[in-house]
Amino acid sequence: MDSPWDDLTLAFSHTSMFPFFDIAHYLVSVMAMKRQPGAAELARQNPVSSWFTAMLHCFGGGILSCMLLAEPPLKFLTNHTNVLLASSIWYIIFFCPCDLVSQAYSYLPVQLLAAGMKEVTRTWKIVGGVTHANSYYRNGWIVMIAIGWARGAGGAIMTKFEQLVKGDWKPGSDEWLKMSYPSKLTLLGSIMFTFQHTEHLAVSKHNLMFFYTVFLVTTKITMMVTETSSVTLAPFEDTLSRVLFGWQKQFSWCEKKSETKPSSNGTGSSASKPTAGASESVKKKHAKKTG
Amino acid sequence: MELLSALSLGELALSFSRVPLFPVFDLSYFIVSLLYLKYEPGAVELSRRHPAASWLCAMLHCFGSYILADLLLGEPVIDYFSNSASVLLASAVWYLTFFCPLDLFYKCVSFLPIKLVFVAMKEVVRVRKIAVGIHHAHHHYHHGWFIMIATGWVKGSGVALMTNFEQLLRGIWKPETNEILHMSFPSKASLYGAVLFTLQQTRWLPMSRATLIFLFTMFMVSCKVFLTATHSHGSPFDVLEGYVCPVLFGTGWASDHHHDNHGSPHSGGPGPQHCPAAKSKEELGEGSRKKKTKKAD
C-alpha cells in the first residue's frame, strides 16, 4: 500500500469529532425526536422533560455503556461543552422563530450531509467503546463487542426505554424485537473492530475505520435517496438464517411423520407435556406457514 | 467409631464443596434453564423470528443471577460475559435447544430420568452460587447482614427476580405480576438458604461452610427432584407457613392462604416428610426471615 494513501487514512482517523460532526449528530438526533408525534407540544408545556429526552437521544449510547460498565450514568454531564452544544441545538430546533431550522433541515441535501456526518461519529464511538472495554477486560471480546455496540447504537434502546417509562409506548409490537438497520450495521462494525483490536483481523486500524465509515455513509445516503430500508444486508441475512436456523424447516416433514406415531419419545415427562406440546404445535404451525 | 464417621462426613463435605463446577454442572444448569425458557409460551416462535432477542433472553436465563448481583454490588453488569467459555457453552446449548434437527436434543433432555439428573445438578450449582455470593458480599461489607442475604438470594433465584425485564425482551410487558408477588419454591428456598449461609458466615451457626453446603445441597436436590418427578408446583414450605403465618400475621392472612392452597391443582407439601433433618435446620432461619417473605407475599 503506497504511503499517500496511508497518510490520507491516518489523517482521516485523527479527525476530531468535536465541533462539526458532533453538531451534525445532535442535529439529526434532535430532529428525529421532533418528528415524533407530540414532541413539539411537549417542549412548550414541559421544557425540562423535553430537554431530558433530547439529552437521552444525544448521549444515550454513552449512558448505556456506562451503565453496563458500572460507571456513573451521568458522566456525560461532566463534558460541559458537549452538553451546552447539544442543549443549544435542542433550543434552536424547538424554539427558533418561524421554525427556520426545521425548514432548512427539510431540504434534502442538508439532510444528506447531516446524516452522512452523523454516521462518521458512529465509527468513532464504536472504536472508543471497544478500546474502553479493552482497558477493563483484556480478553473479554464479548464485552468489547457489547460495549462497542452499546456506544454506537444504544441510543435507540435508551429512548425506547424512556418512552416505556413515560407510558407513551407499549412493547407488543414487533418493532422492539427487530434490530433496526443501523444497529445491525453497528453490531457488524463492533465485531470487526474487536477482531482488529485482538489482532485476529490483519488490517490496520485507520484503514478499517476509513473503509467502515465509507461503507456506513454510502449505505445511509443510498437508503435516504432511494427511500428504502435495509438494502445491503437482506440477502446475506437470508442465507445466514437459512444455514443457521433453518434446520427444523427442512426436517419438519419428518417430524410430522413421527408425530402420527404415538410414543415416539417414550415415556416423556407428562407434566411438561402440555406446555411442551403446546410450544411444539406453535412451532409446527410456524414451520408450516413458512415452509 | 463415631469420630471416624464424623471425620469422613466432614471430608466428604469438604471434597464435595471443592468439585469444580465449570464444564459439567454449569452445562446442566444451562440446559435446565433453557428448557424452562422453551416452556414459556411464545418462546419458540420468538426464536424463529428474532434469533437475536431469543439469544439475549437465553443469556439472561443462564447468567441472570450474576447480572443482578453485579448490579446490586455496583460492579460492571456485563462482568460475567468476559468469561467467554461459559458464554459460548450457553450459546451452544441455546442453539441445540431451539434449532436442533428433529428437535432431538430437546426430546432427549426432557426425557424424565435425564431431566431429573440435570435438575439435581442444577441445584448443586444454585447452592454453590448462594455460598459464593454471600462470601463475595461479606468481602465488600463485613457487617452488612442484609446485603449478604440479598446478594445470596439474588444469586440463588437468578432470572426469576427479573422476570418482568426478561418478558420485556420477548415483547411482553406485564408489570402487574412479578416474582415477589408469587414466590416460587426456588426463590423461597434461596432466600432461606441465603439466611443460613449468612448466619454461617457471621459465625452464628456452629458449622463449617463445606458441611452447610453439603447439607443444603442435599435438601435442595431431594426437594427439587421430588417436585419435578411429581410435577407438583407446590412447595414444601407451604405446610410450615400455614402454621407460622397465622400466628405472626393474624387470621385474615390464614384464610387467604388456605384458599390459595386449595385452589392450586396440585396440593403441595410433600417436602417436610421427605427430608426432616434438613427441615429442622430450615426452621432456624425461618423465624427471622419469615416476616420479610410474608410481607412480600
Side-chain angles (χ1 to χ4, degrees):
Chain A
M1 200 152 282
D2 54 87
S3 87
W5 172 258
D6 251 1
D7 281 349
L8 174 72
T9 52
L10 203 62
F12 175 73
S13 74
H14 286 162
T15 318
S16 166
M17 284 297 105
F18 170 55
F20 300 113
F21 291 96
D22 276 346
I23 289 178
H25 169 64
Y26 301 144
L27 190 67
V28 174
S29 307
V30 179
M31 281 312 293
M33 171 191 155
K34 197 181 177 183
R35 293 263 170 82
Q36 285 165 5
E41 289 89 73
L42 181 75
R44 300 266 182 291
Q45 288 161 6
N46 195 345
V48 178
S49 158
S50 171
W51 177 81
F52 184 70
T53 314
M55 290 303 110
L56 273 187
H57 272 261
C58 291
F59 301 103
I63 296 174
L64 185 66
S65 90
C66 280
M67 290 205 299
L68 288 179
L69 286 175
E71 288 167 359
L74 290 183
K75 211 171 136 195
F76 73 94
L77 287 178
T78 58
N79 201 341
H80 299 289
T81 343
N82 278 14
V83 174
L84 283 181
L85 191 61
S87 308
S88 48
I89 285 175
W90 163 77
Y91 186 78
I92 59 167
I93 283 179
F94 277 97
F95 301 104
C96 184
C98 312
D99 226 7
L100 272 178
V101 180
S102 301
Q103 276 168 16
Y105 186 79
S106 63
Y107 183 51
L108 187 65
V110 178
Q111 270 188 40
L112 287 182
L113 182 69
M117 284 167 81
K118 180 193 154 90
E119 293 306 309
V120 177
T121 62
R122 200 190 289 280
T123 314
W124 261 250
K125 280 185 194 156
I126 296 172
V127 174
V130 169
T131 325
H132 188 63
N134 189 47
S135 68
Y136 276 81
Y137 300 100
R138 290 266 120 216
N139 296 316
W141 48 273
I142 298 178
V143 177
M144 285 158 76
I145 293 175
I147 296 294
W149 184 74
R151 281 263 179 110
I157 295 176
M158 288 303 292
T159 47
K160 278 274 182 248
F161 199 71
E162 184 251 351
Q163 286 174 2
L164 176 73
V165 172
K166 270 162 59 177
D168 285 352
W169 167 80
K170 293 260 181 278
S173 65
D174 271 2
E175 303 239 337
W176 163 260
L177 302 168
K178 251 186 229 153
M179 279 170 92
S180 68
Y181 187 65
S183 45
K184 274 180 199 160
L185 281 188
T186 312
L187 184 62
L188 186 71
S190 184
I191 292 172
M192 283 203 300
F193 280 108
T194 302
F195 282 142
Q196 194 276 325
H197 209 94
T198 54
E199 293 169 3
H200 283 95
L201 203 66
V203 191
S204 65
K205 194 176 196 169
H206 49 267
N207 274 333
L208 186 59
M209 278 170 82
F210 183 76
F211 286 124
Y212 182 67
T213 312
V214 168
F215 172 66
L216 274 185
V217 171
T218 45
T219 47
K220 180 77 187 176
I221 288 180
T222 337
M223 274 166 56
M224 282 177 76
V225 170
T226 59
E227 289 179 359
T228 49
S229 56
S230 80
V231 233
T232 14
L233 284 185
F236 173 69
E237 241 172 52
D238 257 12
T239 334
L240 193 71
S241 72
R242 198 162 301 153
V243 171
L244 281 180
F245 307 122
W247 289 102
Q248 292 207 326
K249 284 172 206 162
Q250 291 166 21
F251 284 100
S252 61
W253 62 276
C254 252
E255 245 175 88
K256 258 177 255 164
K257 237 193 321 191
S258 72
E259 195 188 26
T260 53
K261 279 181 265 174
S263 79
S264 61
N265 54 350
T267 55
S269 56
S270 57
S272 63
K273 233 170 197 165
T275 41
S279 68
E280 218 152 297
S281 71
V282 164
K283 179 187 62 206
K284 213 144 281 165
K285 209 165 55 186
H286 188 72
K288 249 180 263 173
K289 221 185 291 167
T290 51
Chain B
M1 200 61 194
E2 205 164 38
L3 184 72
L4 194 71
S5 72
L7 207 67
S8 70
L9 178 70
E11 266 172 19
L12 177 70
L14 198 65
S15 56
F16 178 75
S17 76
R18 282 185 184 155
V19 176
L21 287 184
F22 172 57
V24 183
F25 287 94
D26 273 349
L27 179 69
S28 48
Y29 188 89
F30 299 150
I31 290 175
V32 176
S33 303
L34 293 178
L35 263 187
Y36 286 131
L37 173 62
K38 196 166 182 175
Y39 290 158
E40 296 276 332
V44 177
E45 255 192 325
L46 178 82
S47 73
R48 294 291 174 283
R49 279 185 297 151
H50 310 288
S54 172
W55 179 80
L56 203 58
C57 236
M59 291 303 109
L60 278 189
H61 268 261
C62 291
F63 306 115
S65 57
Y66 298 101
I67 293 171
L68 264 183
D70 283 335
L71 190 71
L72 287 184
L73 289 177
E75 282 161 13
V77 177
I78 50 172
D79 193 56
Y80 201 78
F81 284 82
S82 61
N83 213 333
S84 306
S86 290
V87 177
L88 286 182
L89 186 65
S91 305
V93 173
W94 164 75
Y95 188 80
L96 283 177
T97 311
F98 282 97
F99 301 105
C100 185
L102 297 177
D103 231 5
L104 219 64
F105 181 78
Y106 172 75
K107 278 173 188 160
C108 289
V109 167
S110 57
F111 180 55
L112 192 59
I114 299 176
K115 192 177 158 193
L116 286 183
V117 173
F118 284 133
V119 164
M121 282 158 83
K122 183 185 174 177
E123 295 310 309
V124 174
V125 180
R126 192 199 298 279
V127 175
R128 202 75 79 78
K129 271 186 183 170
I130 296 175
V132 170
I134 281 166
H135 190 72
H136 191 67
H138 179 74
H139 187 72
H140 280 262
Y141 302 94
H142 268 276
H143 300 289
W145 289 49
F146 290 103
I147 296 175
M148 287 187 229
I149 292 172
T151 312
W153 181 43
V154 157
K155 277 259 185 164
S157 40
V159 76
L161 290 177
M162 49 201 287
T163 322
N164 282 131
F165 187 70
E166 185 260 343
Q167 284 176 340
L168 179 63
L169 273 183
R170 292 193 274 122
I172 304 164
W173 181 238
K174 283 189 284 188
E176 62 274 3
T177 60
N178 60 43
E179 178 69 14
I180 313 271
L181 285 176
H182 309 281
M183 284 229 272
S184 59
F185 167 69
S187 311
K188 272 185 197 171
S190 303
L191 183 58
Y192 299 145
V195 173
L196 283 182
F197 277 102
T198 304
L199 288 178
Q200 193 276 325
Q201 185 78 45
T202 51
R203 314 224 168 146
W204 283 67
L205 204 65
M207 191 187 279
S208 81
R209 186 147 160 263
T211 321
L212 185 58
I213 288 181
F214 183 73
L215 291 176
F216 195 65
T217 308
M218 288 301 120
F219 166 71
M220 285 299 286
V221 167
S222 46
C223 287
K224 195 72 212 240
V225 166
F226 188 83
L227 288 179
T228 312
T230 55
H231 309 302
S232 130
H233 291 286
S235 98
F237 302 127
D238 278 353
V239 174
L240 202 75
E241 276 165 10
Y243 288 116
V244 176
C245 292
V247 177
L248 282 178
F249 303 108
T251 48
W253 189 88
S255 64
D256 220 35
H257 185 71
H258 247 75
H259 175 255
D260 232 33
N261 244 358
H262 288 281
S264 67
H266 306 280
S267 67
Q273 299 91 324
H274 200 60
C275 33
K279 195 71 216 166
S280 63
K281 252 170 241 100
E282 274 302 301
E283 282 165 0
L284 228 163
E286 200 117 352
S288 64
R289 298 310 313 148
K290 186 100 279 175
K291 206 164 155 194
K292 186 173 169 187
T293 322
K294 276 315 119 203
K295 217 181 280 170
D297 254 332

